[in-house]
Amino acid sequence: MAPARAPGSPSGALCRQLLLTLAILTFACDACKTVTLHVPAKLDAEKFIGRVNLKECFKSATLIHSRDPDFQILEDGSVYTTHAILLSSEKSSFTILLSNTETHEEKEILVLLEHQTKVLKKRHSQEKVLRRAKRRWAPIPCSVPENSLGPFPLFLQQIQSDTAQNYTIYYSISGPGVDKEPRNLFYVERDTGNLFCTRPVDRETYPSFELVAFATTPDGYTPEYPLTLLIRIEDENDNYPIFTETNYIFKVFENSKVGTTVGQVCATDKDEPDTLHTRLRYSIIEQFPASPTLFSMHPTTGVITTTSSQLDRELIDKYQLKIKVQDMDGQYFGLQTTAACVINIEDVNDNLPTFTRSSYVASVEENRIDVEVLRVAVQDKDLIHTANWRANYTFLKGNEDGNFKIVTDSQTNEGVLYVVKPLNYEEKQQLTLQIGAVNEAPYIGTSRSTMNMATVTVNVQNQDEGPECDPRVQTVRIRENVPVGTKNVGYKAYDPETRSSSGIRYMKSSDPEGWVDVDENSGVITILKRLDREARSGVYNISILASDKDGRTCNGVLGIILEDVNDNGPVIRQRRVIICKTVMSSAEIVAVDPDEPIHGPPFDFSLEGVLDSEVLRMWRLTKVNDTAARLSYLNDLQFGKYTVPVRVTDRLGQSLVTQLDVILCDCVTPNDCNTYRSPRTGNREVILGKWAILAILLGIALLFCILFTLVCGATTGAAKKPKVFPDDLAQQNLIVSNTEAPGDDKVYSTNGFTTHAVGGSAQGICGTLGSRVKSGGQETIEMVKGGHQTMESCQEAGHHHTLERCKEGGQHTLDSCRGGPTATDNCKYTYSEWYTYTQPRLGEESIRGHTLVKN
């Protein structure tokens, strides 16, 4: 058994050191899969040559670095040249170092650069066939770099069918880029299936191509289905980002807070989206004026914001920016474009209007109005002719009486002072006004004071004035009904210079009732007529004209307050009272007194008459309140109209008797009471309302229309036909009674007929046949039409008569029309003719007590 070695022996230490070194190398730098990129022999500066999958090698890498300074690696694995390179050998390589700064872990990727010409030779020599396990031919991923430099034709890939082992296969393609636009961009070798590109392609025009490949035998047999080939054009950063506008114009208010948004710019890039070629970065290159820096731009959104609150329009009202947008996420080799941006500073009211002077002095004559006294000026740094610049002037002190007004001149912004109420030198010789000025817009500045002030001294100049009527309206108190000729103080005017009334003359310019006279020298009034307070509602006004020796005048009003005297008794305004007896037993009456209340209610109501008079036996008064009483009837009075005298006495004993017309009516409401009988005469009296009168007038008009129509019809018929009686006249229900006794009043219906009288101017319709009665040895014939007891005939010029049967006192009469002698004669003539014609025929058939009736 071999002895054990001491731990500190040299060989043990060497083994431990080798193991540690191996572990460190393994942990520190693990190598990833080698990546091969096919590139041309000559590479331009900042040229994209391919992409490496960094995540597959090291997902948590925080630092990416190329060990060869000729190449640059981006975060997405894109490989770019930093400057132009000429590859001398067919193969070159460089290493990409990936590391994590926190865990100190590192990995490397070896990148091989191989010439495209060598690749083509290898592919042709090996004649490699791509196969799949489940299908015999399928699409092979393929891409073409945009704007490729060649050499052309550029080999892309080889397509081959498994059936080529048993058949001779010919290959062909079709689609866009072959037999469709852009034509002849791709072609395939018939025998080998090698696919080539013939010229550079612009990805922005053709992002990809979808071709269809065919495999056929020489005799046309197709052993395979058509194969779809997708060729993607790999993007190259060949498009500059472009701003949507060449010149941007924004505005922002002065004194805005830090971070206030001014505006946003935007740019577009035609390269492939979601790649570094279209990842844009915005920035401000230059600001004018340059100092201080007041704006910043968000690199990804393009939003411009303020970085200072010191924007002052009164110092600088406009800033100009030169802005830039760059692709490749803003890296130095990215493509960039610039544009101009103008930022206008908007005004705010941060400056107060300031008076150019602190005090002003002006003068104005007394008694002048609408006169410009003074103009005051202010200065304001804000934008002219805006609400921030326009000034509003106001009185702070001194214009309590409203003698002045101040307005703003819209052009000059000055305050114009006017006199709007006359000044009086005798009252004030000097006025001091304090004026303030503010802007129309609210002040938002930093000053503690929000208003600037100035003082204006106005000196009043004296004028020689006429008399003054002050106060214009003066009053005196006079009792009504004072004796004519009574004198009283009148109107007084005075000289404003001397404050005296001497030398002033008076005259009245208006005296509606002519009640007073005015003394010319003193203004004292004299009563000319009895004064009636009730006629003028308690106040009587007269107009006075006062004048001085120079003819200057003033106008005033003298109001005579008429003191009341108890000269009027209470009166009942409603003279007619209706009591609906069926539903009412009384009515309320109200009295009023035109005198003042001190001479008015409470009233005392009483019936006027002796103790045993008829009025007291029929009526009774009951007091309701201070101004009203209730009138009720006693016993059971008849319907009709009664006169009831009522005396009303006021509190001081002044009384008045009012004759009331009281109507007891058979009605439900007073409006229903239209007719009643007088209890004294017994005759029925009629009270016609407006609707009843209107109905009567309409009835009369309608009657005249009917009569006019009948007259016209009769006149026309008489002119055409002679007076003829029909043969069967006796058969028209004519009844002849020879009974001498009065008997019963009976009327028999007959069919009416009309007789016509022909002659000069007298024509008419006299009526229709009726019944014949004999009374007192005299036969009376009544002609009835349609069973009615009254026959009406024409009333025009006596052409129409009525044979009416009246029953008054048991006597029968025959009344004719009252149309004049001519009409009466015509009617009688017509009746006699009718009687002569019908009597013989009736005699032949008549039998006492029998009646012939037409069947």
Side-chain angles (χ1 to χ4, degrees):
M1 178 173 185
R5 295 191 180 183
S9 63
S11 60
L14 180 60
C15 290
R16 286 195 298 271
Q17 186 176 2
L18 290 175
L19 291 175
L20 180 62
T21 303
L22 181 61
I24 292 174
L25 290 175
T26 305
F27 176 78
C29 187
D30 291 338
C32 294
K33 181 174 59 177
T34 302
V35 178
T36 303
L37 299 179
H38 304 286
V39 296
K42 183 179 180 182
L43 297 176
D44 296 331
E46 299 179 1
K47 174 71 174 178
F48 173 76
I49 61 175
R51 185 175 286 111
V52 179
N53 191 345
L54 303 179
K55 299 296 181 181
E56 184 180 8
C57 178
F58 193 12
K59 291 184 178 180
S60 60
T62 59
L63 182 63
I64 304 171
H65 178 65
S66 173
R67 294 187 182 276
D68 190 341
D70 293 337
F71 301 93
Q72 182 182 11
I73 314 300
L74 302 184
E75 293 178 359
D76 64 341
S78 299
V79 181
Y80 286 83
T81 58
T82 58
H83 52 269
I85 299 174
L86 180 62
L87 299 179
S88 56
S89 60
E90 294 181 352
K91 286 187 179 182
S92 299
S93 65
F94 68 95
T95 304
I96 300 175
L97 177 63
L98 306 176
S99 62
N100 188 315
T101 56
E102 295 180 1
T103 61
H104 302 288
E105 183 180 359
E106 293 183 351
K107 291 188 178 182
E108 290 183 348
I109 300 176
L110 180 63
V111 180
L112 298 179
L113 302 180
E114 186 175 351
H115 291 188
Q116 288 182 343
T117 54
K118 186 174 181 61
V119 172
L120 291 177
K121 291 178 180 178
K122 285 184 178 181
R123 286 181 178 176
H124 282 286
S125 61
Q126 294 177 0
E127 295 183 356
K128 184 178 179 180
V129 178
L130 298 178
R131 301 178 182 271
R132 290 188 312 159
K134 294 184 180 180
R135 295 188 57 186
R136 289 181 295 176
W137 83 335
I140 302 172
C142 180
S143 63
V144 179
E146 180 184 15
N147 302 322
S148 175
L149 299 178
F152 296 104
L154 178 63
F155 173 78
L156 301 181
Q157 69 176 1
Q158 182 182 23
I159 56 175
Q160 192 170 12
S161 173
D162 293 346
T163 58
Q165 298 176 1
N166 303 321
Y167 303 96
T168 300
I169 298 299
Y170 293 160
Y171 300 96
S172 62
I173 56 174
S174 67
V178 181
D179 51 1
K180 296 180 181 178
E181 292 296 335
R183 297 177 181 274
N184 301 322
L185 179 61
F186 303 102
Y187 74 91
V188 64
E189 290 181 346
R190 188 188 70 170
D191 297 327
T192 63
N194 292 331
L195 181 63
F196 294 90
C197 178
T198 62
R199 61 183 182 270
V201 185
D202 184 10
R203 190 206 65 84
E204 286 68 42
T205 305
Y206 302 102
S208 62
F209 295 90
E210 188 174 289
L211 307 179
V212 179
F214 302 94
T216 60
T217 60
D219 57 357
Y221 172 67
T222 305
E224 297 279 7
Y225 291 108
L227 174 65
T228 300
L229 298 176
L230 181 62
I231 301 176
R232 188 176 64 87
I233 308 302
E234 292 183 358
D235 185 44
E236 181 186 22
N237 190 23
D238 59 341
N239 289 280
Y240 284 82
I242 300 175
F243 281 104
T244 55
E245 298 181 25
T246 56
N247 290 285
Y248 290 91
I249 299 177
F250 300 118
K251 58 184 179 181
V252 64
F253 286 103
E254 62 177 330
N255 300 328
S256 294
K257 296 180 180 180
V258 175
T260 301
T261 299
V262 178
Q264 183 178 15
V265 299
C266 185
T268 59
D269 195 319
K270 294 182 180 180
D271 287 325
E272 186 175 359
D274 302 323
T275 64
L276 282 174
H277 299 164
T278 54
R279 188 176 299 176
L280 307 180
R281 291 282 178 172
Y282 301 91
S283 59
I284 298 175
I285 301 176
E286 184 180 3
Q287 172 187 301
F288 180 81
S291 179
T293 301
L294 300 175
F295 306 98
S296 65
M297 178 178 286
H298 193 279
T300 57
T301 62
V303 175
I304 302 174
T305 56
T306 59
T307 59
S308 172
S309 60
Q310 302 303 316
L311 291 173
D312 191 350
R313 189 205 64 84
E314 287 71 38
L315 295 178
I316 301 174
D317 62 352
K318 182 173 64 175
Y319 290 88
Q320 295 180 352
L321 303 179
K322 184 178 181 181
I323 58 178
K324 178 187 74 172
V325 61
Q326 188 172 18
D327 59 15
M328 300 300 294
D329 203 19
Q331 299 188 65
Y332 69 91
F333 51 83
L335 303 179
Q336 63 181 19
T337 304
T338 60
C341 178
V342 177
I343 301 177
N344 295 314
I345 309 303
E346 295 287 302
D347 185 45
V348 297
N349 188 22
D350 57 344
N351 293 279
L352 290 172
T354 305
F355 286 99
T356 57
R357 296 170 55 186
S358 60
S359 63
Y360 300 84
V361 178
S363 61
V364 64
E365 292 181 348
E366 65 173 335
N367 301 322
R368 298 287 300 277
I369 60 172
D370 296 330
V371 177
E372 181 179 322
V373 180
L374 179 70
R375 284 178 173 256
V376 295
V378 294
Q379 290 180 343
D380 197 317
K381 296 179 181 179
D382 290 318
L383 187 61
I384 190 171
H385 297 306
T386 64
N388 301 330
W389 174 81
R390 286 189 292 269
N392 283 339
Y393 298 89
T394 183
F395 293 103
L396 303 178
K397 189 186 298 183
N399 192 38
E400 289 77 8
D401 296 331
N403 297 100
F404 301 93
K405 74 173 182 179
I406 187 167
V407 297
T408 305
D409 188 321
S410 60
Q411 298 300 319
T412 63
N413 210 26
E414 295 176 317
V416 186
L417 183 66
Y418 290 93
V419 175
V420 294
K421 185 178 178 181
L423 298 171
N424 193 334
Y425 176 81
E426 287 70 30
E427 294 181 357
K428 275 189 178 180
Q429 291 80 38
Q430 189 180 76
L431 294 94
T432 301
L433 306 175
Q434 192 174 43
I435 299 174
V438 295
N439 291 120
E440 290 183 3
Y443 175 69
I444 58 174
T446 58
S447 175
R448 294 184 178 180
S449 175
T450 59
M451 180 180 293
N452 193 251
M453 294 174 288
T455 301
V456 178
T457 302
V458 180
N459 297 315
V460 183
Q461 298 177 351
N462 189 26
Q463 280 187 330
D464 188 10
E465 302 171 281
E468 284 191 2
C469 295
D470 187 27
R472 183 177 176 274
V473 178
Q474 302 176 17
T475 60
V476 296
R477 303 183 73 89
I478 304 177
R479 292 175 64 85
E480 66 173 332
N481 300 333
V482 297
V484 175
T486 301
K487 295 183 179 296
N488 203 317
V489 294
Y491 196 87
K492 287 295 181 182
Y494 63 92
D495 187 341
E497 307 291 338
T498 63
R499 309 300 296 180
S500 172
S501 298
S502 61
I504 298 179
R505 304 169 68 87
Y506 303 90
M507 63 177 295
K508 62 178 183 179
S509 58
S510 174
D511 182 8
E513 302 292 344
W515 284 352
V516 298
D517 186 28
V518 178
D519 185 84
E520 183 180 12
N521 296 316
S522 64
V524 173
I525 61 173
T526 303
I527 306 302
L528 300 179
K529 296 181 181 180
R530 173 181 173 273
L531 303 179
D532 186 1
R533 188 195 71 87
E534 289 71 33
R536 304 301 297 185
S537 300
V539 178
Y540 182 64
N541 293 324
I542 60 174
S543 299
I544 302 296
L545 180 66
S547 60
D548 61 6
K549 61 182 179 179
D550 295 327
R552 292 172 294 193
T553 63
C554 69
N555 293 290
V557 176
L558 179 63
I560 301 175
I561 300 175
L562 300 173
E563 297 180 346
D564 186 40
V565 176
N566 192 17
D567 57 347
N568 294 281
V571 62
I572 301 173
R573 297 283 175 85
Q574 185 179 357
R575 301 296 182 90
R576 180 169 173 267
V577 179
I578 298 176
I579 300 177
C580 292
K581 190 176 179 183
T582 56
V583 295
M584 300 167 56
S585 61
S586 62
E588 187 175 298
I589 56 177
V590 179
V592 294
D593 193 331
D595 291 326
E596 288 187 350
I598 193 174
H599 299 141
F603 299 142
D604 182 31
F605 295 84
S606 62
L607 295 173
E608 186 70 10
V610 296
L611 294 177
D612 58 348
S613 66
E614 183 181 359
V615 174
L616 298 179
R617 292 195 302 270
M618 298 172 61
W619 304 96
R620 180 178 64 189
L621 277 174
T622 305
K623 188 173 182 180
V624 176
N625 53 38
D626 290 346
T627 59
R630 187 172 301 280
L631 178 65
S632 57
Y633 59 85
L634 303 175
N635 305 320
D636 188 11
L637 298 182
Q638 298 179 1
F639 293 113
K641 178 179 178 183
Y642 300 86
T643 301
V644 180
V646 178
R647 179 180 294 275
V648 186
T649 306
D650 62 20
R651 68 166 65 189
L652 298 180
Q654 185 74 20
S655 64
L656 184 67
V657 177
T658 303
Q659 300 290 336
L660 298 181
D661 293 332
V662 183
I663 301 172
L664 288 181
C665 188
D666 184 10
C667 59
V668 177
T669 63
N671 293 332
D672 298 336
C673 186
N674 294 326
T675 64
Y676 59 88
R677 291 183 183 273
S678 174
R680 297 186 179 183
T681 63
N683 296 330
R684 180 176 293 272
E685 299 182 11
V686 180
I687 302 175
L688 296 178
K690 58 182 181 180
W691 295 110
I693 296 173
L694 180 61
I696 292 173
L697 295 176
L698 292 176
I700 293 173
L702 180 61
L703 181 60
F704 271 101
C705 291
I706 295 173
L707 294 179
F708 180 76
T709 303
L710 293 175
V711 170
C712 292
T715 304
T716 305
K720 294 181 180 180
K721 297 181 180 180
K723 180 173 62 179
V724 179
F725 291 99
D727 293 338
D728 58 348
L729 186 60
Q731 300 179 5
Q732 302 294 322
N733 288 351
L734 196 59
I735 302 171
V736 179
S737 175
N738 293 328
T739 304
E740 296 182 359
D744 298 330
D745 292 333
K746 297 182 179 179
V747 179
Y748 296 88
S749 176
T750 65
N751 295 327
F753 67 91
T754 305
T755 60
H756 304 270
V758 182
S761 63
Q763 295 181 359
I765 303 171
C766 198
T768 60
L769 287 177
S771 62
R772 178 170 174 262
V773 270
K774 184 175 182 183
S775 176
Q778 183 178 0
E779 292 181 343
T780 300
I781 297 177
E782 180 182 8
M783 290 170 288
V784 182
K785 181 177 180 181
H788 298 282
Q789 294 184 3
T790 303
M791 184 194 70
E792 296 179 354
S793 59
C794 298
Q795 293 180 358
E796 295 195 12
H799 290 181
H800 191 194
H801 304 272
T802 302
L803 288 173
E804 181 181 6
R805 180 182 177 215
C806 299
K807 183 178 180 182
E808 289 289 340
Q811 184 179 3
H812 300 272
T813 61
L814 178 65
D815 293 337
S816 62
C817 302
R818 294 175 176 84
T822 306
T824 305
D825 293 343
N826 289 335
C827 190
K828 289 180 180 179
Y829 174 77
T830 305
Y831 169 72
S832 61
E833 284 186 333
W834 171 79
Y835 184 80
T836 304
Y837 180 79
T838 58
Q839 187 61 28
R841 292 168 172 79
L842 291 174
E844 296 175 1
E845 304 290 333
S846 63
I847 300 175
R848 183 177 299 274
H850 295 80
T851 303
L852 293 176
V853 182
K854 183 179 178 181
N855 294 329

